[in-house]
Amino acid sequence: MTQDFLTTPAKILITGVDGQIGYFLNQATQNDPFFSVVAFTDSKLDISSREQVQQQLSEHQPDYVINTTGFNAVDRVEAHSERCFALNRDAVENLALVCNELAIPLIHLSSDYVFDGHYASGYTEDDQAHPLGLYGESKWQGEEVLRSVLAKHVILRVSWVFSTIGDNFMRRALLQARQQEEISAADDRRGCPTSASDIARVIVAILKQLHNGAENWGTYHYCCAEVTTRYGFTEAVLAAAGQYEKLKVEKLIPISSSDLGSDAERPASSVLVCTKLLNHFGIRQRPWRSQLVAMIREQYQNEEINDITA
Ligand SMILES: NC(=O)c1ccc[n+]([C@@H]2O[C@H](COP(=O)([O-])OP(=O)(O)OC[C@H]3O[C@@H](n4cnc5c(N)ncnc54)[C@H](OP(=O)(O)O)[C@@H]3O)[C@@H](O)[C@H]2O)c1
């Protein structure tokens, strides 16, 4: 039955709110009267514990659970494959089983790395997954377990997430540009950088429509608009950050990803086609360039606040 959101806010339970997407989703929903939010860091709810999941979901009885956790250290997966599968697959199964038992829909995040990257024109939700490495495999298995256990789910595959939180390629580029005169970035892998705050906007829009009666369960793609490479993105980071400070870097060198010496194989082109999300939910892509400008501004504002409070 459709609920009147003016009298009954949607009660949502978010996992992993110390992470990039979790943080921005928590921010976006906390001050929105449409939502009543229960937010968990990993220390308050370890989703790899079935017992904890059972206890918290039973106690709070949310209308929706949003799982923003993930083991995303792509290069460290080979050495930590147990932890990776425990979080990206087994913990998703925990959530799905308990959600199914309590009839709670689950919104879950997945990755462009479920694809092998051979389609330069981009991947739709109907394209065959074929992960290249253990990280992509763990995300794919997490998706599959969720589909098999819980009908009322939304799997949102996103790509190249950047933000002011944690370790991500926007912050790494900025750090290197402050410390080194020359930096390099791969110019041969294509994808769409996507800001964590924009993903939060998309999840909010999905939740509002689901809560107002839309039954658009299933798998969706979202990434910001404009295909680029890590080199193209780094160039934009330097231009945006250069508005705020004189960076040490003088030269940005394009290199091949084979020169990076990373452990994990990554898709060469992992562009996500987002037409299904537009057709089912009316959600449009925003350009990553404007998102980046806003994120860099926020990064400098945060640093200023930290300087003042230090
Ligand atoms: N980052 C990307 O580029 C990218 C790309 C495509 C898809 N995704 C997907 O998007 C989602 C969110 O990514 P993100 O970059 O926001 O992740 P993130 O910043 O790495 O945050 C993940 C959060 O999950 C928490 N966590 C780890 N183990 C947990 C557990 N057992 N129980 C509860 N929480 C736990 C982490 O806590 P600790 O920090 O304390 O471990 C962290 O706060 C993930 O599903 C990821 O696979 C990410």
Side-chain angles (χ1 to χ4, degrees):
M1 195 175 67
T2 310
Q3 294 174 15
D4 178 357
F5 77 84
L6 289 174
T7 51
T8 321
K11 186 168 186 183
I12 61 173
L13 186 152
I14 313 173
T15 64
V17 293
D18 276 348
Q20 298 193 77
I21 298 174
Y23 172 84
F24 283 95
L25 182 63
N26 191 25
Q27 276 215 327
T29 50
Q30 284 285 359
N31 295 321
D32 186 333
F34 191 97
F35 297 105
S36 141
V37 185
V38 184
F40 284 105
T41 60
D42 62 333
S43 58
K44 295 275 163 52
L45 171 57
D46 174 359
I47 63 161
S48 55
S49 156
R50 175 84 179 273
E51 207 184 336
Q52 286 188 31
V53 170
Q54 182 89 50
Q55 197 241 318
Q56 294 296 355
L57 267 60
S58 302
E59 183 182 327
H60 293 286
Q61 295 281 342
D63 297 313
Y64 305 89
V65 171
I66 302 102
N67 177 31
T68 73
T69 69
F71 184 100
N72 303 319
V74 177
D75 285 323
R76 283 188 278 128
V77 169
E78 310 295 324
H80 300 277
S81 62
E82 264 181 43
R83 270 180 60 201
C84 174
F85 280 85
L87 185 58
N88 292 350
R89 179 194 57 203
D90 303 342
V92 179
E93 184 173 27
N94 281 341
L95 285 170
L97 286 167
V98 178
C99 283
N100 189 47
E101 207 177 293
L102 301 173
I104 303 167
L106 175 61
I107 317 299
H108 174 66
L109 287 147
S110 189
S111 166
D112 54 329
Y113 278 39
V114 301
F115 296 116
D116 59 19
H118 295 152
Y119 285 0
S121 59
Y123 287 91
T124 72
E125 293 79 354
D126 292 332
D127 285 319
Q128 185 59 50
H130 181 230
L132 293 177
L134 287 179
Y135 168 75
E137 183 60 37
S138 70
K139 294 300 291 183
W140 171 243
Q141 290 188 18
E143 285 189 13
E144 285 286 83
V145 87
L146 172 51
R147 285 188 198 97
S148 69
V149 171
L150 180 69
K152 290 196 172 183
H153 67 261
V154 170
I155 294 168
L156 186 66
R157 292 187 185 135
V158 297
S159 68
W160 292 27
V161 181
F162 66 91
S163 75
T164 51
I165 306 290
D167 177 31
N168 62 72
F169 54 97
M170 181 195 92
R171 281 165 57 93
R172 277 199 297 276
L174 184 57
L175 188 67
Q176 285 180 347
R178 284 171 165 169
Q179 293 176 343
Q180 297 163 216
E181 285 178 359
E182 279 188 9
I183 63 175
S184 56
D187 200 23
D188 55 355
R189 277 203 316 261
R190 301 165 70 251
C192 296
T194 306
S195 83
S197 61
D198 196 33
I199 296 168
R201 168 189 71 93
V202 170
I203 296 172
V204 164
I206 289 173
L207 283 168
K208 287 186 174 179
Q209 294 186 48
L210 293 178
H211 202 57
N212 278 312
E215 291 276 345
N216 295 334
W217 310 110
T219 303
Y220 293 89
H221 287 176
Y222 184 75
C223 59
C224 282
E226 196 193 319
V227 180
T228 188
T229 62
R230 291 296 166 114
Y231 177 85
F233 183 78
T234 306
E235 224 176 10
V237 170
L238 303 190
Q243 306 292 315
Y244 294 89
E245 67 173 314
K246 171 93 184 81
L247 297 164
K248 184 168 184 185
V249 69
E250 286 173 1
K251 196 170 175 191
L252 173 63
I253 305 163
I255 57 166
S256 155
S257 46
S258 58
D259 295 333
L260 285 171
S262 328
D263 290 342
E265 198 182 347
R266 290 170 161 84
S269 182
S270 60
V271 178
L272 298 172
V273 174
C274 305
T275 319
K276 185 178 170 190
L277 193 72
L278 176 64
N279 291 342
H280 289 209
F281 287 100
I283 299 170
R284 288 187 186 281
Q285 289 171 282
R286 288 187 175 166
W288 61 259
R289 285 185 189 275
S290 53
Q291 297 291 310
L292 175 65
V293 167
M295 268 307 166
I296 289 283
R297 188 192 313 123
E298 189 165 330
Q299 175 72 34
Y300 280 88
Q301 279 167 354
N302 290 350
E303 288 176 14
E304 210 173 285
I305 290 165
N306 288 340
D307 270 0
I308 292 165
T309 53

